[in-house]
Amino acid sequence: MKADVLLGLQWGDEGKGKVVDVLTPHYDIVARFQGGPNAGHTLEFKGKKFVLRSVPSGVFQGDKINVIGNGMVIDPALFKEEVEALEAAGEPLHHRLKISKKAHLILPTHRLLDLASEAAKGAGKIGTTGKGIGPAYTDKISRNGLRIGDILYRFDEKYREVVARHMEILRQYNFEYDLEKLEKAFFEGIECIKRFDLIDSEYFINHSLEEEKKVLAEGAQGTLLDIDFGSYPFVTSSNTICAGACTGLGLSPQKIGEVYGIFKAYCTRVGSGPFPTELKDETGELIRKKGCEFGAVTGRPRRCGWIDLVALRYSIMLNGVTQLIMMKSDVLDDFDTIKACVAYQIDGKETEEFPFEITENLKPVYVELPGWKTNITNLQSEDEFPEELNAYLNFLEEELNVPIKIVSVGPDREQTIIRYQE
Ligand code: GDP
Ligand code: IMO
Ligand code: MG
């Protein structure tokens, strides 16, 4: 058996959480492979809404096993909050959530270093989620990090050593903080983590595949935030692309099956960094309002713009996407016309490739399509799609050369339409 991978093709918040929840009934195991509580994955069903940060999105579909993979970074304090919120909602996790011993810990001082570094950058800041993601991955790569498995043996000693080093760095910033309060929550979180099954998740996942169990790997963030291929330095600190599922779960490339690539019918971005199709006008405002485009983690307004096919083709290439999923189609219900960027013009020359650097000189080349001007949120099947929506889907499939298998028409689990039913 091979593992399927589901990941975002834009700058995150494509709707990964919703689709993982919808697909989970077809799987035995859902495993997150990178990122941490910078993610905010929203799920809606039966009038309820949940936002998951570190816990995989397969926890609301019965007793499926969920795995926090080695590629993730975990903040114990935030993890405990998440676990308690789920327990309070009648969703105890202990028997169905396993955590890799090799996942790295986000320490309170990682969070402080993230905030201090952003404050020092001023106008040039990345606009991080402030969750300590960059500093935690920095320590992992520089071989100074602490892992989940470390909490089982002489943890206090190891913790103090790392924190002493962080304090040295923090002294160079003029940054005030209250570490004691953060540490209390951190150590309570460590106790919470100890009550879970801490595993060698690479063995667990591979043995499960050998036993013909079906595994869905859940990505966080999006391809354009990838540390290698995103709009560097305005990116996150992990590999968000499909290869991240190999390193973040211990899967060999031969064990990857379907790759589901998720995109919004338009495009959004939170934080700083280039965004070629951004609309800083009334149209952008309309999309933000209709799409409720405010960050699930930080509440920050998301920047909105038209769909960018240059960026999507790039993402599809990097991930080897086999099936596309179009989200938030209903957000475009009211538009007379919809634009799609098919190429970039840079210094007068047209290109269909995502450039090394996106500067002011880049101008998107648009194709305009008619809008459907119909409320599609209650549609039940593809047969009911308005002609213009079908035309938009056909246009995208032709441009992207991958079938769009699922169309989402609202935030609820039920508002999901599968195309090409066999
Ligand atoms: P994720 O990080 O990729 O899981 O996405 P987020 O949860 O951060 O953001 C997606 C937002 O869009 C959430 O508020 C979802 O409830 C909502 N959503 C998902 N699919 C749809 C859809 O098809 N239509 C609308 N209107 N909202 C959607
Ligand atoms: P999900 O999984 C959207 C963005 C931040 C910032 C940059 C770096 O919900 O799609 P970080 O805190 O990771 O160092 O921030 O990445 N970012 C996201 N944007 N969705 C996310 O996750 C994001 N996670 C990080 O806004 O620009
Ligand atoms: Mg999100």
Side-chain angles (χ1 to χ4, degrees):
M1 197 58 84
K2 293 185 180 195
D4 297 338
V5 181
L6 182 144
L7 42 77
L9 299 180
Q10 295 162 324
W11 277 286
D13 301 328
E14 296 89 350
K16 297 174 290 293
K18 167 180 165 165
V19 179
V20 169
D21 172 63
V22 167
L23 294 178
T24 297
H26 303 287
Y27 290 88
D28 302 297
I29 296 164
V30 177
R32 272 270 307 265
F33 56 87
Q34 45 67 236
N38 48 347
H41 294 179
T42 316
L43 290 79
E44 289 193 37
F45 53 88
K46 297 181 187 147
K48 288 184 287 186
K49 178 172 165 172
F50 294 93
V51 180
L52 298 173
R53 293 162 145 197
S54 301
V55 172
S57 302
V59 289
F60 296 105
Q61 296 281 14
D63 278 346
K64 307 289 178 158
I65 298 295
N66 287 262
V67 176
I68 287 180
N70 59 279
M72 286 188 71
V73 285
I74 298 299
D75 179 325
L78 294 179
F79 175 74
K80 178 170 175 273
E81 271 179 25
E82 199 172 331
V83 169
E84 286 174 352
L86 286 168
E87 272 170 2
E91 299 286 347
L93 292 177
H94 284 87
H95 58 297
R96 55 204 171 100
L97 178 67
K98 298 178 188 294
I99 307 175
S100 166
K101 282 192 262 187
K102 295 191 178 75
H104 275 248
L105 286 166
I106 301 176
L107 309 191
T109 37
H110 282 139
R111 231 199 281 184
L112 296 172
L113 285 166
D114 190 1
L115 297 172
S117 154
E118 282 284 271
K121 282 189 170 140
K125 70 176 185 201
I126 293 166
T128 71
T129 57
K131 299 287 179 281
I133 304 296
Y137 276 117
T138 300
D139 271 353
K140 170 178 174 173
I141 299 303
S142 62
R143 297 156 294 178
N144 289 309
L146 292 177
R147 298 185 289 175
I148 293 283
D150 286 320
I151 68 178
L152 301 173
Y153 182 64
R154 286 169 55 188
F155 181 63
D156 216 53
E157 209 175 295
K158 294 181 238 177
Y159 172 83
R160 293 289 153 210
E161 210 173 287
V162 179
V163 168
R165 195 171 36 78
H166 288 168
M167 305 271 269
E168 277 300 312
I169 306 169
L170 276 167
R171 254 192 282 283
Q172 293 161 31
Y173 292 104
N174 199 5
F175 190 76
E176 286 188 18
Y177 55 87
D178 179 359
L179 184 57
E180 225 170 275
K181 195 167 151 217
L182 292 174
E183 281 189 332
K184 185 173 179 292
F186 176 80
F187 281 102
E188 285 169 8
I190 292 289
E191 291 311 307
C192 170
I193 290 176
K194 279 185 186 161
R195 291 196 289 273
F196 282 86
D197 196 6
L198 309 183
I199 60 166
D200 293 307
S201 62
E202 61 278 31
Y203 278 114
F204 177 75
I205 301 271
N206 280 290
H207 288 161
S208 299
L209 291 173
E210 278 161 26
E211 290 161 15
E212 300 293 307
K213 297 250 166 62
K214 293 192 78 185
V215 175
L216 178 62
E218 174 183 6
Q221 289 78 56
T223 301
L224 304 176
L225 288 170
D226 181 88
I227 184 73
D228 281 283
F229 300 104
S231 45
Y232 193 90
F234 301 100
V235 293
T236 191
S237 298
S238 63
N239 278 119
T240 58
I241 57 169
C242 188
C246 295
T247 57
L249 291 173
L251 282 169
S252 83
Q254 287 95 331
K255 296 267 175 64
I256 303 289
E258 295 294 325
V259 181
Y260 303 108
I262 304 206
F263 65 98
K264 283 181 193 177
Y266 47 98
C267 196
T268 64
R269 165 159 215 177
V270 225
S272 326
F275 180 178
T277 59
E278 181 171 13
L279 294 164
K280 292 179 181 163
D281 58 6
E282 241 170 57
T283 310
E285 199 54 52
L286 275 176
I287 296 178
R288 177 157 41 249
K289 234 173 154 183
K290 177 101 181 171
C292 303
E293 293 295 358
F294 296 90
V297 172
T298 56
R300 289 180 290 178
R302 294 177 183 145
R303 299 154 65 192
C304 298
W306 295 119
I307 199 163
D308 182 341
L309 302 181
V310 178
L312 277 180
R313 284 187 217 110
Y314 184 58
S315 297
I316 288 168
M317 172 185 84
L318 293 170
N319 292 300
V321 172
T322 60
Q323 302 190 25
L324 287 166
I325 301 176
M326 184 166 97
M327 308 301 292
K328 305 195 86 158
S329 320
D330 54 300
V331 174
L332 300 184
D333 276 0
D334 303 331
F335 288 92
D336 290 326
T337 53
I338 296 165
K339 285 189 187 177
C341 165
V342 289
Y344 296 154
Q345 205 172 66
I346 304 171
D347 297 326
K349 278 200 202 120
E350 215 166 283
T351 176
E352 291 188 6
E353 292 194 358
F354 202 70
F356 172 74
E357 207 167 21
I358 296 168
T359 64
E360 293 293 305
N361 296 343
L362 185 153
K363 302 264 171 300
V365 179
Y366 287 112
V367 164
E368 210 164 304
L369 292 108
W372 41 93
K373 305 276 286 176
T374 319
N375 176 354
I376 60 169
T377 56
N378 296 316
L379 301 189
Q380 300 292 318
S381 86
E382 190 191 3
D383 306 337
E384 300 168 53
F385 279 0
E387 195 184 307
E388 295 82 357
L389 174 57
N390 276 325
Y392 189 52
L393 289 164
N394 292 340
F395 166 76
L396 294 179
E397 284 186 331
E398 222 156 272
E399 287 285 324
L400 301 172
N401 217 7
V402 183
I404 302 173
K405 292 281 182 77
I406 297 177
V407 176
S408 176
V409 295
D412 194 275
R413 194 189 261 174
E414 304 292 330
Q415 292 171 298
T416 314
I417 296 173
I418 315 281
R419 297 173 82 213
Y420 312 119
Q421 299 251 33
E422 272 105 48

